[in-house]
Amino acid sequence: IFHTTVSDRRFVAVLLMVLQWTRLGLPSPLRPICDPRVLDRFIKEARDTEFAMVRVCSEGCSLAEPLSVPLTSVDFAIWEKGDVSEQAQEVQSGLWLLAQAISAVRVSITSTALHSLLDNSHSNIHSIGQVIRSLNFPEYTPPADGTVHEDTWRVSSTLELFRVHTNFLRGKVRLLLSHAPACRRDST
Amino acid sequence: MMNVAATEMLCWNAASLLVAVEPEDPKCFAEGMRDLTCFWEEEGSRSPDDYAFTYMYQETNEESSKCALTAQSVGGSKTRYICRLPSVQHFVPLDVSVFQDGRLIYNRNLLIDHVFLLDPPANVTVTQTGEQEQLRVCWLPPALMDMENSMMYEVEYAPTGSHMGKRESVRARSEIILHSLQPDTRYNIRVRAKPDGLSYSGYWTAWAPWVSMTTPPAEMDLLILALCVVISLILILLSLTLLLSYRRFLLKKVWPVIPSPENKFDGLFSVYGGNFHEWLGVGNRGFWWSPTFLLVEESPSPLEVLSEAGFTAPVPVHPMPFKALGLSKKEVEEDERTGGQDSVLMGRRKGKAHPHWVLEQLQSLDQPSVPCCELHTLEPSDTYVSLNYRSQQDSGAMSPLADISEESLPLQVLFESPGTPTSFSDLESVTYSSGSGEISSQSSLEYPYGAWPLKGPSYISMTVTDSGISTDYSHMSWGTTGLGDLAMAYTNEYKNKVPAPRLPPHGHTVYSYY
């Protein structure tokens, strides 16, 4: 006399799904990547790309069109009080902008050596996005119209672009990852 | 924000550090995450109002700002102008300009996160680790947010009183274990820090104050000591064993026995007390001679002398000096018979007669017929001696160094074909080859009975030690004492050969014939 109705079964199914989804103590599908050495490697490669660009672009390698890049400046007094999720959004939108800019630059550059560097930078940005997603930050959806509501800066040379790229990784991205709540919770 | 006065105090040390390291003006450094201090030094003591310090963050939408300057007098004549920014932004280039009376004197572009000059590491402690030659050094990393994982440190250590300090680098860890230190030594240690350069960069901090600690004394490992003792004991035992087992050998090497001729001269020392003449007299029947080793060692054995008439009774042979025999008669006969053979020896036998008894013997045995098949009846120990004719030219020199040439061959007897008269000496037996005109001689020692090969002219030679007879050296010689016992005969076949070369002296008389 243990029969269930259809509605009961549906309810159990939904309940199970909800429980599965919200239960605590279980690792998320993506394990949080908290090792600082991961980002340190990306930062190092970005720096190497910037130095290579300096060697190649003696005149600065001006761009045909200015490109939008994120702001890299960090005021610690303000940053420490800031909201983590907002910072995550800021970082992710900045990464998206940089990816766009690098793709645009790659088209105009002819040197194959630089092509490999640019491709490497682009894939690194993609990997950093995955790291951020692993830390349970809300995902960033790029704006449909291509413009971001955060403040941006426009660069007019490749050299400037990669300097911004390096500073962005060193600054905001690194601060975000090193103070990520997902990492802090695991350590405590 | 730190107390201005306190900051100024720090400034003095920082300034002196930076002045040495940073070439650009104005010199700027950040002591924390939220400040930046810039300064420059000028001669004179002008008011800071004469100067204008402007800065602007690039790649931002901000405008340039001005910074309030303060002045400090330095070292009497100089003035230091200091600017402290109220708030700073990292990871953006900062453009700094200094104007004096409206005129730009300095301009610099820098990243604030690249000019860190922090406090030296605090709370440096040195402890013993419990192991030999080691010390552990610990310190506190800078208490700046986000800086703990971005620091590198340098540790300098030296024994007290020594000026040869060693440095070790550490990254991201705030302790280090120093290895390979001298035991029981007092070491001075100090530490300094610097951002590692990846995310943040800056200048080396000032050295932390010296900290001292003594390394533990060297202790003799008991196990090693015990092993050494055991090994040395084993080595001692081994050497003793070797010594004992080879003590006689070693004694001989170290304290050699003085050789004594006692064993060579039987009874010389024991019976005759070293009197050589007396000892000689016993074994010598009146004939003086100088015995050689071989002579002394071997006892006399009978030497059979064969004659053509058949066996003669064995004639005891005494070591007697041979005198040169002159057998002129024989020579002639043999010359005729041998003809073309190498009869050099024969040709020389022109010597005159010598001891009569020998000659008499020879002559008595001069028979026309030659017995045959008698050789095989000879005893194995008998030796066959061929008599050589010694040339009379060879004066009476009895030295063994006489010419070996054919002419100097002493008694020689030709072995003749049957039917020819032969001559013998009573000291030697002569072998005949039967049935052939050849001359052959063989030693009974060499050939078994009945195996006398018929050969061409060959010769046999026997050496007899003799002081009174000149020796004749053929190319082959017997080593024999003349007593016939252990004579070793060598037969050689010569066919028209030239005379043998001179042989080294053996002290023997060599008799050979062809």
Side-chain angles (χ1 to χ4, degrees):
Chain A
I1 313 205
F2 205 78
H3 58 89
T4 55
T5 59
V6 173
S7 59
D8 282 346
R9 280 190 229 119
R10 278 197 207 128
F11 172 73
V12 168
V14 169
L15 183 64
L16 283 174
M17 277 161 47
V18 167
L19 282 175
Q20 159 118 18
W21 182 53
T22 59
R23 59 188 168 175
L24 300 171
L26 284 180
S28 58
L30 258 177
R31 269 186 60 226
I33 301 168
C34 293
D35 194 343
R37 290 175 296 181
V38 173
L39 187 62
D40 284 348
R41 186 172 148 255
F42 293 142
I43 293 170
K44 192 172 180 302
E45 286 179 11
R47 216 172 48 168
D48 294 340
T49 308
E50 184 189 344
F51 292 156
M53 207 57 67
V54 168
R55 279 196 302 272
V56 169
C57 296
S58 48
E59 315 87 31
C61 299
S62 303
L63 293 168
E65 286 185 7
L67 295 170
S68 290
V69 290
L71 297 176
T72 59
S73 57
V74 170
D75 191 337
F76 278 98
I78 299 170
W79 184 271
E80 282 170 4
K81 300 190 186 90
D83 180 34
V84 171
S85 48
E86 278 183 19
Q87 289 166 350
Q89 285 286 47
E90 188 180 342
V91 164
Q92 286 181 336
S93 73
L95 285 174
W96 181 81
L97 274 174
L98 282 173
Q100 298 288 99
I102 288 173
S103 305
V105 164
R106 194 189 181 288
V107 172
S108 57
I109 285 197
T110 52
S111 162
T112 48
L114 288 179
H115 278 178
S116 65
L117 285 174
L118 294 176
D119 291 340
N120 191 40
S121 300
H122 199 275
S123 71
N124 285 352
I125 290 173
H126 185 66
S127 305
I128 293 169
Q130 283 182 326
V131 170
I132 293 172
R133 273 196 296 279
S134 77
L135 298 177
N136 292 332
F137 287 119
E139 192 139 348
Y140 170 78
T141 50
D145 56 356
T147 59
V148 292
H149 64 278
E150 282 91 2
D151 291 336
T152 60
W153 176 256
R154 298 182 83 81
V155 290
S156 51
S157 77
T158 324
L159 220 51
E160 280 182 55
L161 168 63
F162 280 99
R163 198 166 59 220
V164 164
H165 171 241
T166 308
N167 288 337
F168 192 70
L169 293 185
R170 282 192 310 120
K172 290 184 176 174
V173 177
R174 191 168 172 278
L175 285 172
L176 178 74
L177 293 182
S178 58
H179 297 289
C183 292
R184 272 215 214 112
R185 199 188 304 152
D186 286 347
S187 57
T188 53
Chain B
M1 273 296 232
M2 276 187 282
N3 188 322
V4 173
T7 318
E8 280 187 24
M9 287 302 296
L10 283 169
C11 244
W12 290 109
N13 302 332
S16 56
L17 268 174
L18 268 182
V19 165
V21 173
E22 178 62 60
E24 293 189 36
D25 271 322
K27 304 191 195 314
C28 299
F29 61 95
E31 289 173 310
M33 303 303 287
R34 300 172 200 199
D35 61 277
L36 182 71
T37 309
C38 289
F39 70 92
W40 71 97
E41 293 175 353
E42 292 256 350
E43 294 285 334
S45 53
R46 296 181 68 151
S47 159
D49 298 328
D50 295 342
Y51 295 94
F53 187 99
T54 59
Y55 61 94
M56 188 180 79
Y57 289 104
Q58 294 181 330
E59 292 167 12
T60 62
N61 299 319
E62 291 181 19
E63 300 292 329
S64 97
S65 310
K66 233 180 139 167
C67 174
L69 289 169
T70 57
Q72 280 176 354
S73 61
V74 180
S77 60
K78 279 195 185 178
T79 313
R80 184 183 291 141
Y81 302 96
I82 304 164
C83 161
R84 280 194 192 82
L85 293 185
S87 64
V88 290
Q89 293 195 33
H90 291 257
F91 311 112
V92 280
L94 178 70
D95 191 84
V96 168
S97 304
V98 177
F99 297 91
Q100 182 189 36
D101 298 329
R103 190 174 43 101
L104 181 71
I105 53 171
Y106 298 128
N107 181 262
R108 194 180 159 190
N109 193 294
L110 60 103
L111 280 159
I112 297 175
D113 47 278
H114 280 184
V115 289
F116 278 104
L117 181 61
L118 304 171
D119 293 336
N123 228 0
V124 179
T125 53
V126 185
T127 55
Q128 292 184 357
T129 61
E131 306 246 350
Q132 288 291 307
E133 303 176 356
Q134 281 184 10
L135 284 177
R136 178 187 285 114
V137 189
C138 303
W139 57 88
L140 285 181
L144 287 176
M145 178 190 77
D146 207 36
M147 274 291 203
E148 291 164 13
N149 303 321
S150 310
M151 297 299 287
M152 58 187 270
Y153 305 95
E154 202 177 40
V155 178
E156 191 179 14
Y157 59 98
T160 308
S162 160
H163 295 285
M164 302 290 294
K166 284 195 215 168
R167 293 191 181 181
E168 293 245 3
S169 287
V170 189
R171 258 182 192 265
R173 284 179 299 125
S174 62
E175 73 163 20
I176 188 176
I177 294 180
L178 300 174
H179 298 271
S180 308
L181 303 176
Q182 296 170 22
D184 204 16
T185 316
R186 191 170 181 78
Y187 274 88
N188 290 336
I189 297 151
R190 60 178 184 178
V191 187
R192 66 177 181 180
K194 181 183 156 180
D196 64 359
L198 192 61
S199 289
Y200 300 107
S201 184
Y203 309 100
W204 279 111
T205 66
W207 287 105
W210 289 103
V211 180
S212 294
M213 175 56 69
T214 315
T215 49
E219 51 182 41
M220 180 64 65
D221 199 359
L222 277 177
L223 183 64
I224 291 173
L225 193 66
L227 278 174
C228 286
V229 167
V230 168
I231 286 172
S232 50
L233 276 175
I234 291 173
L235 282 174
I236 288 170
L237 276 173
L238 270 175
S239 54
L240 274 176
T241 314
L242 267 173
L243 213 65
L244 285 173
S245 55
Y246 288 104
R247 66 177 178 281
R248 264 190 269 158
F249 172 75
L250 286 174
L251 209 61
K252 250 197 274 180
K253 286 287 174 187
V254 169
W255 194 259
V257 176
I258 300 171
S260 142
E262 176 76 37
N263 57 342
K264 299 290 184 193
F265 299 93
D266 231 6
L268 173 60
F269 294 104
S270 54
V271 179
Y272 296 98
N275 191 332
F276 204 60
H277 283 289
E278 279 181 22
W279 180 79
L280 268 184
V282 173
N284 191 356
R285 299 217 176 161
F287 288 87
W288 176 81
W289 75 349
S290 55
T292 62
F293 277 100
L294 272 174
L295 276 172
V296 177
E297 282 171 356
E298 295 169 10
S299 56
S301 66
L303 185 68
E304 210 169 283
V305 179
L306 293 180
S307 72
E308 56 194 354
F311 282 124
T312 58
V315 177
V317 178
H318 310 296
M320 301 177 61
F322 272 110
K323 309 283 183 181
L325 295 178
L327 300 170
S328 52
K329 177 180 164 193
K330 276 289 144 226
E331 290 169 6
V332 172
E333 287 173 357
E334 285 148 3
D335 276 338
E336 293 167 1
R337 276 181 285 270
T338 54
Q341 296 171 0
D342 189 359
S343 58
V344 182
L345 296 176
M346 296 163 34
R348 277 177 280 108
R349 282 178 244 101
K350 309 289 186 215
K352 60 176 187 252
H354 277 269
H356 286 286
W357 63 271
V358 175
L359 198 54
E360 283 163 7
Q361 289 282 343
L362 287 169
Q363 285 171 346
S364 67
L365 294 171
D366 188 8
Q367 300 287 337
S369 63
V370 180
C372 65
C373 314
E374 290 169 352
L375 305 175
H376 47 267
T377 58
L378 290 169
E379 297 301 315
S381 61
D382 291 348
T383 56
Y384 298 96
V385 179
S386 65
L387 300 176
N388 292 330
Y389 293 101
R390 191 173 65 118
S391 165
Q392 283 307 103
Q393 279 77 22
D394 258 25
S395 54
M398 308 304 175
S399 69
L401 293 171
D403 273 341
I404 309 175
S405 59
E406 303 293 333
E407 288 74 16
S408 66
L409 290 175
L411 299 174
Q412 287 190 4
V413 169
L414 287 177
F415 288 141
E416 299 160 357
S417 54
T420 59
T422 59
S423 58
F424 303 88
S425 80
D426 60 342
L427 300 176
E428 303 167 307
S429 52
V430 178
T431 62
Y432 299 88
S433 60
S434 61
S436 71
E438 299 166 311
I439 302 168
S440 65
S441 70
Q442 280 138 3
S443 162
S444 61
L445 292 173
E446 253 189 46
Y447 294 95
Y449 275 163
W452 304 97
L454 300 179
K455 299 181 186 172
S458 61
Y459 76 96
I460 185 174
S461 67
M462 180 184 101
T463 63
V464 177
T465 57
D466 174 39
S467 64
I469 296 183
S470 64
T471 52
D472 148 62
Y473 302 92
S474 66
H475 63 279
M476 285 289 250
S477 65
W478 286 4
T480 163
T481 59
L483 309 176
D485 187 21
L486 298 173
M488 305 223 283
Y490 301 85
T491 57
N492 291 303
E493 297 187 70
Y494 287 87
K495 303 202 176 187
N496 303 322
K497 283 205 176 174
V498 293
R502 178 196 297 244
L503 286 176
H506 297 288
H508 303 328
T509 338
V510 177
Y511 299 88
S512 63
Y513 78 99
Y514 287 91

